[in-house]
Amino acid sequence: MRVNGVHYEREIEPRMTLGDFLRHEIGLTGTHLGCEHGVCGACTVLIDGRTGRSCLAFAMQEDGSEITTVESLAQGGELNILQQAFQDHHALQCGFCTPGMLMTLTELLRDNQNPNETEVRETLTGNLCRCTGYAAIVEAALDAAQRLAAAREA
Amino acid sequence: MKPAPFDYHRPISLDEALDLLSNLENAKILAGGQSLIAMMNFRFVQPDHLVDLARIPELTGIEERDGVIRIGAMTRQRDLEFSDVIAQRLPLVKAGLAHVGHRQTRNRGTIGGSLSHADPSAELPMLALAQDATIEVRSTRGARRLPAREFLRGYLDVAIELDEIVTAVEFPCWRAGHGWGFHEFARRHGDFAIAGAAALLELGEDQTVERVSITLNGVDVTPVRLTSAEDVMRGRRLDAELICAAAAETRHLEPLEDAHAGAVYRRHLAKMLTQRALGDAAKAGALIASV
Amino acid sequence: MGVKQFGARVKRVEDPALLKGQGRFVDDVKMPGVLHACFVRTPFAHAFVRNIDSTAALQLEGVVAVFTAADMPQRMRDERMPMLVPNAAIAALRTQHALATHEICYAGQTVAVVIAQSRYIAEDAAALVDVDYETLPAISDLRSAVAPGAAVAHSDLPDNIASSFKMEYGDVDAAFASAPHVFEEKLWQHRGGGMAMETRAVLATHDPATDMLTVWTGSQTPHIGRRMMADMLDRSVESIRCIAPDVGGGFGPKAIFYAEEPVIAACALKLGRPVKWVEDRREHFMCATQERDQYWDVALAVDAQGRIQGVRGALLHDTGAFVPWGIIMPYIAAATMPGPYVVPSYRLDVRVALTNKVATTPVRGAGRPQAVFAMERLMDRAARELGIDPAEIRRRNFVQPEQMPYSVGLMFRDGKPLIYDSGDYPKGQSEALRIADYEGFRARQSAALAQGRYIGIGIGNYVEGTGLGPFEGVTVRVLQNGKVAVATGATQQGQGTRTTLAQIVADSVGCRFEDVVVTVGDTAAIANGVGAFASRQAVNAGNSATLAGTAVQAQIVQLAAQTLGVAPEDIDVADGQAMARTGNKPVLTFGELARLSQGMPGFSMQPGQTAGLENTAYFTPPQAAYCSGTHVVEVEVDPETGGVKILRYSVAHDAGNIINPLIVDGQVQGGVAHGVGNALFEWMKYDEQGQPLTTSFADYLIPMATDVPTCEIAHVETPSPLNPLGVKGAGEGGTIPAPAAILAAVEDALRPFDVHVTETPLTPERIVELLEAAGAYEQINSQIEERA
Ligand code: FES
Ligand code: FES
């Protein structure tokens, strides 16, 4: 399995979920588990470029897949545009849901460069946040879309 | 909430998968895993073997032939959602897909998985029933084709044997320009519906109902066709009154009660949503017919 | 001079690590050789444990141990868990044993613990532990619990009344006897949870070389936890270090000291290996404390103009099987009910019922949402019946700003009279109404109705006692590298504690915000601490920070003056350096000063000089600081489905002086989301045998991004005179009035059908039932026909 561009090989039990594999086998604890039954979205990662719940996948299934996690976003330690928008808009409080939010929005902003508020909100229904009341996350996503557009033009 | 141990198998051909299934005890098919793995994490389900179908190429794909759309069982819901063929030929299915779970689960969830799970509140089983889809199943013993209404046997129960795999689903298309409407009510976006209604209409000369399909989810152990309402409508001139009369047929339903909603409310919703779905279908159908 | 940080929208220092996936939550802490725990929990709500057989479990490969109460240290066998706030009014001082000794009283209670190489194996083994139960009749509903002949929640208690007490002042019966109008309401708010996105977690390890027991715990109150752990494990407080690292949301339930904490610590001690337990979500639904379940049977007496003459009634509170946090919630509820209004006479008879369900303890709002719901429902009722506008009837009853400080008439739980320190309630309401365009609403409503759309508006007012004692400590220390270290017993679960304290310290010491390094949630960092609950940290820790920072600045001035040979008045401190205003303006950096403050080996210190630049302050608030606010909500109801959509949400909020508006707005918005959950979605259901029915996020519905509107927020700042910073708490105000305002709006939207709502959460199903009963559907059909 490749995770964030790095190749990993491990002997594991078939029942180990992808989430546990990322967190405990290869030490990428940025991906969080909030429910382990596929509702909260905290465990969201990109699997071959598409978001998926890492609690609803066994690591074995992804043998050979390319996994992208929150740890990959900040290139060279610098927050990327979406992450920066999160900080600027106070889109995280406890930060537990945040990695999942970021991965969901990373996919959305890639596939839809100019989403409206409804599209952002509907996309975010796959991720629960108990702290923020979502408003700041929605603002951050819309702002990031604009900043990304500006960056593309420049 | 960790699953119990099991052996994992990943066949790369259908034949290999069928062999495995016919030989293994207490084996389960792993499709998208969006319901199964959650149930395994709760240890509600504890298979000894999982047979993962993800690497069998012949199980994915969408193709149209002779007015029938054939969808491989392992096709992801997300791929259906963005398929042009489906958007054009099965607009009802496209509309219903938007209500299936969330983006992250549609990315992984498959049509075959959802049909086999047969949740009475889910959208895909209901859409299969609405469109009179045919389910193709295979085992080492051969292939069978079942109409959706036979396939969907009961609560989380489908009419296939333990060694059988759903390989494809075929949706016959309705006439171009047919009317369709989809309405469901869920507590939150993407939740399983408390109840939902899907309607298809073909109108003839003078707005006469030539062909109609009305299907509900969330009101029984499986999705159901409201055949009495279809009978009421067929051959009659479509107007608001006819829609009300059809929706009134929901009074015969006897929905189940559960922690999410009681029977009376489900029946009430069924009526309201049938009315809305038919209303939309009438608009879409009439508009196109009049062009 | 540096830029003043207090009051600025400063970005949080917590964020970069959390955004990069470098947060450190308990389950992220790596510990070589760690073992994993899984608790064996009873499936029954009430039973005796007859026998526990772990033979099969122990045979499983990878299982290290199975422990029951008999294996725990003596105090944990013999005694129950400590109670946080004992009170003379509690008849049944009941808490649970860390591991069950005999009787279990709610489904999910801890019976035994399995320790294994992985959580997977521990779960396999837990299923193999064979427990022989003798089931007992269970009591689930709180009203049935107090009915005669009810099954008892504890087999050795005569009944299910944990406590009953009265809160009163004035001659309420006379007021009711003479009032021209009396309105009664029966109200019910169902159980809900805190439902932080991170579940609870404990990791314990013992170092034999130093005899130090280190416990990472996802707790709001590690200092309190350490004290209790010391008692239960019979160790000195000094030999335990509790660390609450990053914590993924608190909201109250994590302020409790739970059975799992001492058990995991005891396991680590016994096995000489680190042991970790991470609660799963199902356990969280069953075993983390909850709140809200209360019945109110209340009445309001008003004069012809709608002026309140008196309020009286009864409150029945469900405490569940135990009372780990005493009876604070019903107490707070009773004290909160008068709210921003002049209530001349008042009596509330409170009973606390024991049931066979997990205990209730404060959840964001802590009894206040229920009290506000009760009061505001009564106000709406009076407004409707008397034909007075809901905003106007409230206006007529407000405590006026010139009446501050205002004595309500009640005694608070610290035995002192309940006195509002400051506030401007009329202004708060008018601000909220202004941003909600309340004036224009009736026109919007009729326009909508003409199109067959049902929209409504609702108001919720509240006053909230925040910043409760006893204290919080803050140490400020200038380091030799010029940075300023801050340590506190305050904790964070998302409130931005480190950011706000850094702001305060930067101002009070005179350094750059970036140079302040704050440590929270670690008992090793500061001797005494309390933690996060009751919206208390801004008041307690914030003021300690300013006191300690100011003291350290005085030390800096003193030392700089001495060193530079100028008068202290001639020293300016800013941006991490002290500068003389005279001569050629010599400068000493904080780093230099910190080194100087250490003195020279063998030499005496200057007279009056302290060693190091350091101060610890423990601010102790004299009483609560009362924040207040008004929520105005506009909703649309779809009568056909019962669906409710919130169209607009306006908040005016008075949290005194605001340290960081970015953070306070976030607290309000997040609080509102929780309130939306309580109003429309969240319902922890149990069956009659006390079996929890909603133990997944698919069954227990917390609001999603499409359910919570973006609030418009106005700040009304009336500084608290009770603390140097003039701050009040902000953590819970967003939640408190939300159910009241939202339900009022739904009722207003359905005014054409005269529907009355009295229960939260208000489900679509219930709305349809009410409409059905009101004959709404015939009415709607005939309207449609008329229009056609
Ligand atoms: S942990 Fe995977 S969705 Fe919650
Ligand atoms: S920031 Fe805490 S759950 Fe989202």
Side-chain angles (χ1 to χ4, degrees), chain A residues 91-98 128-132, chain C residues 197 248-249:
Chain A
L92 65 156
Q93 290 183 23
C94 77
F96 196 80
C97 70
T98 310
L128 298 178
C129 174
R130 189 56 153 174
C131 298
T132 64
Chain C
M197 281 298 113

Side-chain angles (χ1 to χ4, degrees), chain C residues 235-286:
Chain C
R235 292 177 70 84
S236 70
V237 163
E238 290 69 27
S239 70
I240 303 176
R241 177 180 179 192
C242 275
I243 304 171
D246 286 328
V247 177
F251 316 118
K254 290 183 187 169
I256 305 306
F257 180 65
Y258 285 94
E260 290 88 349
E261 294 171 80
V263 171
I264 295 300
C267 292
L269 286 167
K270 218 172 149 75
L271 297 168
R273 302 259 309 261
V275 178
K276 184 197 273 187
W277 168 72
V278 179
E279 182 186 50
D280 66 35
R281 185 56 65 178
R282 178 167 43 187
E283 290 180 287
H284 192 77
F285 275 108
M286 295 177 78

Side-chain angles (χ1 to χ4, degrees), chain C residues 194-425:
Chain C
M195 288 305 140
M197 281 298 113
E198 185 201 21
T199 52
R200 295 179 292 141
V202 184
L203 167 63
T205 183
H206 178 245
D207 177 5
T210 56
D211 191 28
M212 180 60 84
L213 173 69
T214 305
V215 182
W216 284 264
T217 172
S219 168
Q220 298 171 222
T221 53
H223 274 90
I224 295 178
R226 175 176 67 157
R227 212 173 62 222
M228 297 193 162
M229 195 122 45
D231 283 348
M232 298 189 75
L233 298 171
D234 227 341
R235 292 177 70 84
S236 70
V237 163
E238 290 69 27
S239 70
I240 303 176
R241 177 180 179 192
C242 275
I243 304 171
D246 286 328
V247 177
F251 316 118
K254 290 183 187 169
I256 305 306
F257 180 65
Y258 285 94
E260 290 88 349
E261 294 171 80
V263 171
I264 295 300
C267 292
L269 286 167
K270 218 172 149 75
L271 297 168
R273 302 259 309 261
V275 178
K276 184 197 273 187
W277 168 72
V278 179
E279 182 186 50
D280 66 35
R281 185 56 65 178
R282 178 167 43 187
E283 290 180 287
H284 192 77
F285 275 108
M286 295 177 78
C287 310
T289 55
Q290 305 166 353
E291 212 218 292
R292 304 279 195 258
D293 205 348
Q294 293 184 345
Y295 276 98
W296 293 68
D297 195 339
V298 278
L300 174 73
V302 290
D303 69 12
Q305 284 73 46
R307 281 195 190 85
I308 301 168
Q309 308 297 302
V311 172
R312 72 178 175 195
L315 159 61
L316 180 60
H317 172 84
D318 176 11
T319 187
F322 298 104
V323 279
W325 198 303
I327 49 168
I328 277 188
M329 286 162 299
Y331 204 101
I332 291 177
T336 299
M337 188 164 185
Y341 310 117
V342 175
V343 178
S345 66
Y346 179 72
R347 184 178 68 233
L348 199 67
D349 293 300
V350 182
R351 280 185 305 167
V352 178
L354 289 161
T355 57
N356 293 113
K357 293 178 293 193
V358 69
T360 59
T361 65
V363 172
R364 202 171 202 170
R368 298 181 189 89
Q370 298 95 312
V372 168
F373 184 66
M375 192 67 204
E376 296 295 84
R377 286 281 68 204
L378 286 169
M379 295 301 277
D380 287 328
R381 174 79 185 285
R384 197 174 64 238
E385 304 247 359
L386 300 176
I388 305 173
D389 179 88
E392 173 57 25
I393 197 168
R394 288 170 165 85
R395 218 172 277 136
R396 289 182 193 172
N397 285 289
F398 278 136
V399 173
Q400 296 300 313
E402 49 290 359
Q403 289 174 277
M404 295 292 168
Y406 176 80
S407 177
V408 175
L410 287 169
M411 298 304 272
F412 204 53
R413 67 166 196 265
D414 53 9
K416 295 183 196 146
L418 194 153
I419 297 172
Y420 297 161
D421 55 327
S422 60
D424 188 341
Y425 310 142

Side-chain angles (χ1 to χ4, degrees), chain A residues 130-131 133, chain C residues 189 193-194 251-252 291-292 362-373 460-462 464 535 627 629-631 633 649 651 653 664-680 682 703 711 730-742 760:
Chain A
R130 189 56 153 174
C131 298
Chain C
Q189 299 203 55
F251 316 118
E291 212 218 292
R292 304 279 195 258
V363 172
R364 202 171 202 170
R368 298 181 189 89
Q370 298 95 312
V372 168
F373 184 66
N461 283 316
Y462 74 101
E464 177 202 0
S535 301
C627 83
T630 303
H631 290 197
V633 188
Y649 205 112
V651 176
H653 182 255
V664 170
D665 285 356
Q667 288 294 316
V668 171
Q669 173 75 35
V672 166
H674 200 144
V676 168
N678 288 144
L680 300 173
E682 298 181 38
C711 300
E732 299 171 274
T735 306
I736 292 167
I742 293 168
T760 69

Side-chain angles (χ1 to χ4, degrees), chain B residues 1 43 187-188 262 265 268, chain C residues 123-124 280 640-641 702:
Chain B
M1 283 183 51
R43 299 198 179 207
R187 293 293 300 281
R188 299 172 305 178
Y265 180 53
H268 169 93
Chain C
E123 286 190 24
D124 297 344
D280 66 35
E640 294 190 353
T641 60
I702 80 169

Side-chain angles (χ1 to χ4, degrees), chain A residues 32-44 53-56 126, chain C residues 697:
Chain A
H32 297 152
L33 298 173
C35 71
E36 298 180 285
H37 56 267
V39 184
C40 77
C43 67
T44 303
R53 313 263 202 232
S54 63
C55 71
L56 294 189
Chain C
F697 276 144

